[in-house]
Amino acid sequence: MSSAEVRPNRFRLVPMRPRDPEESGRAASSLELFFDLVFVIAVSIAATTLHETVTAGRLGEGLATYLMIFFAIWWAWMNFTWFATSFDTDDWLYRVLTIVQMGGVLILAAGIAPAFSDKDFTFIVSGYVLMRVIMIVQWLRAAKAAPEQRAATIAYACGIGLAQVLWLLWLLIDAPVAQAAAFIVLVGLELSIPIFAESRGTTPWHPEHITDRYGCFTIIVLGESLLASANAVFGALSDVVDLIPLISLGVLSLIVTAAMWWIYFWPPHHRAISGLRGSIKYGYGHYFIFAAAGAFSAGVGIEVDSQLGRSALDPVLATFTVSVPIAVFVLGVWLLAIRANAGGAVNAIVPTASVLVLLDPIIPVPTFLTTFFMVIIVITLIVFSPKATDGASPAEAAAG
């Protein structure tokens, strides 16, 4: 039974009962898409600040801070997404609490620049904790209306509550090494909460809905990469005499982004989350896919600055800031969704070509080799279709 079939009470609230995991035609709701928009702001600011930090020559520091911040962005988004697939009621209270979470994202976004420049994570942790406290309220509401999932929902609420107290205490740590070690421990705690809670009683998830949500967020992040890349190229056009290298970089960035979209949406993602282990692998693995997509836009900006002589970063390293995120993105999609749904040809070409993009710095034309190998992957995916559920597709069989 879907939540839409449950009658609201006198407060016009719908009991937060589990959604039907086999509900037909379920896709991302307008509220979920609206929710995603504020995360685009956070991802955009994180990528832009990464670009500025790396251009200033602080590659290691910038990358470490970016990965820390992106964990907060990704984990808050993912927890809401998986909760929504199980208990979304779309009543007025659910909507209000979701909008408050959006405010938490904006607070987090406001703290990104101070985190990069001064290692001040106060705003980031404050926004993150606000989002997570709202999730505690949602889980407790679900516990009241879903007795069969009560053990799991209470475990979620308690685990999240404990983690937020520890995050606030984390702000009091001054020593960088101790702070980094404590961060890793707290990330491990956060990642363990769903595993522990689901062992107490499985909450239902809708495979097509979940993968639709991940697909929507991927499109949004890739769109942000297109925008950031275009802004970096357009903003530099008036500062150079020879426009050909800059225009070439812009064209190649468009081709690469389109190839990333093509690669991501080639396999049937919903097959990857048929069980708890597969769901955990799929959900957690997307941290690297999303972070890489966001870092790609920063890499294009870094490459533009390098061409203009504005960067303190070595030109070879500047090129790697473009090719490495692409390689991570493609390998991540291959491991999570393509590999199990492809035949031998695809499973040989996709990972090999994704690694070969790292050869890009050996030639003087930025991103040319990356674009070449990405096109090779797309051609491969055009020639071969994903496997049927019980074996190879006709195209794969004919090629074999």
Side-chain angles (χ1 to χ4, degrees):
M1 179 182 293
S2 69
S3 60
E5 297 169 325
V6 180
R7 296 182 62 182
N9 62 22
R10 63 192 180 96
F11 298 108
R12 303 188 66 82
L13 296 177
V14 177
M16 196 167 269
R17 297 174 186 169
R19 296 287 294 258
D20 182 0
E22 298 182 0
E23 181 181 340
S24 62
R26 189 173 177 198
S29 68
S30 59
L31 177 63
E32 289 174 316
L33 296 177
F34 184 46
F35 179 77
D36 289 350
L37 293 179
V38 290
F39 281 90
V40 175
I41 296 172
V43 172
S44 177
I45 295 175
T48 299
T49 315
L50 173 64
H51 163 201
E52 296 169 351
T53 304
V54 173
T55 296
R58 307 197 307 272
L59 176 61
E61 175 188 336
L63 183 60
T65 305
Y66 172 78
L67 293 176
M68 292 172 68
I69 292 170
F70 206 93
F71 171 80
I73 296 171
W74 160 78
W75 189 243
W77 177 87
M78 195 180 90
N79 274 245
F80 169 82
T81 296
W82 283 84
F83 176 86
T85 200
S86 300
F87 297 106
D88 180 4
T89 59
D90 198 32
D91 58 21
W92 67 265
L93 180 57
Y94 182 85
R95 291 184 174 190
V96 169
L97 291 175
T98 300
I99 292 170
V100 174
Q101 280 187 277
M102 294 169 67
V105 181
L106 295 177
I107 294 173
L108 184 153
I112 291 176
F116 271 96
S117 60
D118 305 320
K119 302 304 177 188
D120 182 0
F121 288 87
T122 303
F123 275 94
I124 288 180
V125 171
S126 299
Y128 178 78
V129 169
L130 173 60
M131 289 186 284
R132 302 294 277 147
V133 168
I134 296 300
M135 287 309 307
I136 295 174
V137 175
Q138 297 280 41
W139 281 114
L140 290 176
R141 187 181 172 197
K144 181 179 179 181
E148 292 184 1
Q149 284 78 30
R150 185 161 296 161
T153 53
I154 292 295
Y156 271 111
C158 293
I160 293 171
L162 172 62
Q164 302 329 294
V165 172
L166 295 177
W167 279 118
L168 292 173
L169 293 175
W170 179 78
L171 289 174
L172 303 178
I173 302 175
D174 291 328
V177 174
Q179 188 181 55
F183 178 85
I184 295 172
V185 171
L186 287 175
V187 167
L189 172 62
E190 289 275 17
L191 295 178
S192 68
I193 292 171
I195 299 173
F196 172 74
E198 294 295 327
S199 70
R200 307 282 293 174
T202 303
T203 56
W205 61 81
H206 194 294
E208 286 80 8
H209 174 250
I210 282 291
T211 52
D212 180 56
R213 294 289 293 117
Y214 276 81
C216 288
F217 198 78
T218 300
I219 290 175
I220 289 173
V221 176
L222 290 178
E224 188 279 325
S225 294
L226 274 178
L227 177 62
S229 301
N231 286 340
V233 173
F234 295 162
L237 289 177
S238 61
D239 298 330
V240 295
V241 176
D242 185 4
L243 297 178
I244 294 178
L246 205 58
I247 293 174
S248 299
L249 178 60
V251 173
L252 296 178
S253 296
L254 171 61
I255 296 173
V256 168
T257 306
M260 292 167 73
W261 166 83
W262 201 306
I263 291 165
Y264 185 89
F265 288 98
W266 181 83
H269 283 252
H270 64 276
R271 296 180 188 172
I273 54 175
S274 57
L276 178 59
R277 178 176 296 183
S279 300
I280 293 293
K281 177 182 175 182
Y282 184 86
Y284 290 10
H286 266 78
Y287 167 78
F288 301 98
I289 293 174
F290 290 157
F296 167 64
S297 63
V300 174
I302 294 165
E303 181 61 44
V304 169
D305 285 343
S306 181
Q307 288 191 26
L308 297 177
R310 298 173 177 171
S311 176
L313 191 67
D314 182 271
V316 174
L317 291 179
T319 304
F320 273 125
T321 64
V322 177
S323 58
V324 170
I326 293 170
V328 171
F329 180 93
V330 177
L331 283 173
V333 177
W334 175 71
L335 285 169
L336 294 183
I338 293 178
R339 184 176 57 168
N341 293 288
V346 172
N347 281 331
I349 293 173
V350 171
T352 300
S354 65
V355 173
L356 289 176
V357 303
L358 299 177
L359 296 176
D360 217 330
I362 70 174
I363 66 172
V365 183
T367 76
F368 176 78
L369 279 182
T370 295
T371 306
F372 173 78
F373 288 119
M374 291 292 280
V375 170
I376 291 297
I377 293 175
V378 170
I379 291 173
T380 302
L381 299 182
I382 292 173
V383 173
F384 299 104
S385 300
K387 282 182 179 181
T389 55
D390 57 350
S393 67
E396 296 265 53

